[in-house]
């Protein structure tokens, strides 16, 4: 049997490069490469790596690693999103600000995945997120403008430019009912 360090390195590579939705799928991929592991061993390895599962636009969940720098580096090097982030922003509905906080609304069940994507950006402007089922509380660093937050979030969320939402609301009020 091959050693644990090599197996964990392979796990990291598989999770980074493929959309893996189950331990069974991961176990099969490991076995194809010579690593036969029990479900308990695989669970311990995933816990060691601090993996989490985030929702995709197809309603399933995939494993993700908490290493924001690796994901960001790969996105910058390739010029396109990391395969694990191909569904970023899925479920996003709206963004509203209040002081140094913002509230992001998502489809039900998508908030934790969107919050995870935001946290993985590692943006200095954002202190952190707290996710519910369909709402994310975003805490913004003091003295950071709404425009700066928009610029950061627009990398992963399909948000309109700052002020566009207000312009749309004004047009709606001017149009006859």
């Amino acid at each position: 049997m091959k050693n644990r360090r090599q197996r964990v390195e392979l796990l990291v590579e598989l999770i980074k490069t493929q959309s893996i939705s189950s331990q069974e799928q991961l176990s099969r991929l490991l076995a194809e490469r010579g690593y036969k592991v029990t479900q308990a061993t695989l669970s311990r390895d995933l816990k060691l790596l601090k993996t989490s599962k985030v929702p995709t636009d197809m309603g399933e969940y995939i494993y993700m690693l908490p290493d924001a720098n690796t994901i960001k580096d790969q996105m910058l090097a390739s010029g396109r999103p990391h395969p694990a982030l191909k569904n970023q922003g899925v479920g996003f509905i709206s963004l509203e600000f209040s002081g140094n906080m913002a509230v992001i609304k998502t489809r039900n069940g998508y908030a934790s995945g969107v919050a995870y994507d935001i946290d993985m950006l590692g943006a200095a402007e954002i202190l952190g997120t707290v996710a519910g089922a369909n709402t994310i509380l975003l805490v913004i660093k003091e003295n950071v403008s709404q425009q700066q937050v928009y610029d950061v979030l627009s990398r992963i969320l399909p948000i309109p430019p700052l002020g566009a939402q207000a312009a749309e609301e004004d047009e709606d009020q001017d149009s006859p009912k």
Side-chain angles (χ1 to χ4, degrees):
M1 177 175 268
K2 299 180 181 182
N3 74 37
R4 182 178 192 191
R5 185 183 56 78
Q6 291 172 327
R7 183 181 69 244
V8 170
E9 287 174 2
L10 179 58
L11 269 173
V12 169
E13 183 62 29
L14 290 170
I15 292 169
K16 283 182 181 180
T17 60
Q18 298 185 39
S19 294
I20 298 172
S21 60
S22 69
Q23 286 188 13
E24 183 179 296
Q25 180 185 6
L26 196 49
S27 181
R28 256 193 328 272
L29 291 169
L30 287 170
E32 289 170 5
R33 289 160 179 84
Y35 294 91
K36 286 199 167 252
V37 295
T38 66
Q39 186 273 329
T41 298
L42 188 53
S43 288
R44 279 191 295 273
D45 289 348
L46 291 170
K47 186 175 181 177
L48 170 79
L49 293 171
K50 296 184 172 136
T51 60
S52 59
K53 289 181 100 175
V54 296
T56 69
D57 59 349
M58 304 305 283
E60 61 185 19
Y61 287 76
I62 60 170
Y63 285 103
M64 295 258 321
L65 295 165
D67 187 357
N69 292 328
T70 300
I71 291 172
K72 281 193 319 188
D73 292 346
Q74 288 177 356
M75 286 170 52
L76 293 172
S78 69
R80 58 186 195 280
H82 181 277
L85 292 180
K86 69 181 179 195
N87 298 306
Q88 62 193 6
V90 169
F92 171 80
I93 294 174
S94 67
L95 167 67
E96 290 191 43
F97 290 93
S98 178
N100 73 322
M101 294 185 289
V103 174
I104 298 172
K105 294 288 187 175
T106 69
R107 290 177 48 208
N108 194 35
Y110 285 79
S112 65
V114 173
Y116 180 87
D117 288 347
I118 293 168
D119 291 338
M120 289 298 98
L121 286 173
E125 297 86 351
I126 299 171
L127 293 174
T129 60
V130 179
N134 66 347
T135 305
I136 302 165
L137 174 64
L138 185 80
V139 181
I140 302 164
K141 196 176 248 184
E142 293 291 332
N143 302 315
V144 170
S145 71
Q146 289 181 2
Q147 183 63 55
Q148 288 172 289
V149 175
Y150 259 84
D151 293 344
V152 168
L153 295 177
S154 67
R155 290 187 250 164
I156 63 164
L157 297 176
I159 55 176
L162 189 59
Q165 194 173 26
E168 286 175 17
E169 289 172 5
D170 289 343
E171 287 176 17
D172 289 344
Q173 290 175 358
D174 293 339
S175 63
K177 304 274 179 202

